[in-house]
Every structure is written in C-alpha cells, then in structure tokens.
Amino acid sequence: MLTISRELVDQIIAHATADHPDEACGVIAGRDGVPERFVPMENAERSPTFYRFDSMEQFRVWRDMDDNDEEPVVIYHSHTATEAYPSRTDVSYASEPHAHYVLYSTALAQFRSFRIVDGVVEEEDVKILEPDA
Amino acid sequence: MAIEVRIPTILRTYTDGAKAVDASGATLEELIGDLEARHPGIKARIVDDGKLRRFVNIYLNDEDVRFLGGLGTPISDGDTVTVLPAVAGG
C-alpha cells in the first residue's frame, strides 16, 4: 500500500495538469518508504505518449537523494489520453523495484499506484493522509 | 588503478548488494570488461551489441558519457563512474 499526504497528491495532479497534453513526470524522495520531498522532473521527450527524465537532471537528483540517505519512494508520471495503468513501455523500463509507480490520468482524473518488479505489475491501495483539521 | 563504480539498486544482485565497487581500465569499455570479470553478468545489462544500452545512463564524475566519448571515454585513477537506469516509459 502507498501511504501519501494529500499535499503530495495535489502536487502530482497540479504538475500533470500544467503539462497536459504532454506527460509529466517526477519523483518523491523519502526515507523508510515514506514519501516526503516532491521533485518534479523535466520530461526530456516533451511528448503526449512518452516520458524520460533528463539524464543530467536525474544524475543531480539521484546524487542529492544519496547524500540525504533518501530513496525514490515514488516515481510518478501522467497519462494524458488513457487510463492510469502502466503501459508496456512503462513495464519494460521500470528499474526501481522498491519504488511505488504512481500514474495519474489527466483524461480520467485517476490516481493509482503500482509495484513493477521483473516485468510484473501489481496494483496497490492508496491511502491518502488528510491534513489535520 | 582503482575507479569507484556506483551501482544502481537493480544491478546490485551482481555485486552481492554492494552500492559501489572498484574496477580498473583506461577507458570505459575496459572498465566494463573488468567489472564483468569481477561480477559476471553485469556487462550485458549495460552494453548491448557493443554499444551502451539506450536506457542505461553512465556518468564519468558528473558528466553523461554520451556527451564525452561513449565507451571509448578515457578514465583516470580517482574517477567515479555512476551507472543509473534511465527513468522512462510511455
């Protein structure tokens, strides 16, 4: 299960909405599996059907996470015309077995989370922590 | 001549879980050959048909080797090589 704050969910949706119709992508860094630090990334492909982190930006972000003892807890991207389910390319390039792969569909306003390990996709529940009233 | 090679999570099955290992070589190609001798199987995950795999990024210190000399990039003692799978999809 992915447990994530309402604020981070809103940040993913805002990024996806701003970049629509291109796909938006990014990372949420954290420790012990808790997503904390929102890091929107540039989609180097600037495409409505494909995304790829810019290689130099990824290097800097991964080095910062290493320095902070963080890990990529969430890797997110948007789908802008289809449902929020990993595509065949998403599965073939998934390379962080410990990450929650979050997809947000701007077309359907769907927010879903998956584990993708060795080519196998498993959807998981999402628990959103609402701010204290 | 020891060069530190930083290994991404997904390739640590080849390095007994180590995040960084030492290897040697005068070029990136030689370094990857030495890495393969020490950690059999790892080369095929980085190189395909004599070229860097399209969805693997390799950095020499803080430069992407695609913007240097690819597999022919010269490497010196004390350099750090970082392997990172590209984050991509559709």
Side-chain angles (χ1 to χ4, degrees), chain B residues 16-77:
Chain B
D16 292 324
K19 290 169 94 165
V21 296
D22 283 340
S24 61
T27 64
L28 182 60
E29 190 162 22
E30 285 183 24
L31 182 90
I32 293 170
D34 185 51
L35 206 57
E36 172 69 16
R38 296 168 191 240
H39 308 285
I42 200 167
K43 181 178 177 178
R45 303 294 299 274
I46 301 173
V47 176
D48 181 35
D49 206 10
K51 282 190 217 145
L52 280 180
R53 281 185 176 274
R54 198 171 150 224
F55 288 94
V56 174
N57 299 328
I58 299 190
Y59 308 88
L60 172 62
N61 301 319
D62 50 11
E63 296 280 348
D64 186 331
V65 299
R66 282 194 180 82
F67 304 121
L68 300 171
L71 285 172
T73 304
I75 298 180
S76 316
D77 203 6

Side-chain angles (χ1 to χ4, degrees), chain A residues 48-66:
Chain A
T49 55
F50 201 75
Y51 80 98
R52 179 182 179 138
F53 288 5
D54 174 77
S55 77
M56 288 315 302
E57 187 179 26
Q58 185 188 350
F59 179 74
R60 289 188 295 270
V61 168
W62 256 245
R63 185 175 53 189
D64 288 349
M65 286 195 287
D66 231 30

Side-chain angles (χ1 to χ4, degrees), chain A residues 110-129:
Chain A
Q110 273 180 352
F111 186 103
R112 295 166 73 179
S113 182
F114 304 85
R115 295 286 191 171
I116 308 176
V117 180
D118 293 333
V120 178
V121 177
E122 217 170 300
E123 183 157 15
E124 58 184 0
D125 289 335
V126 177
K127 182 179 178 190
I128 299 177
L129 300 173

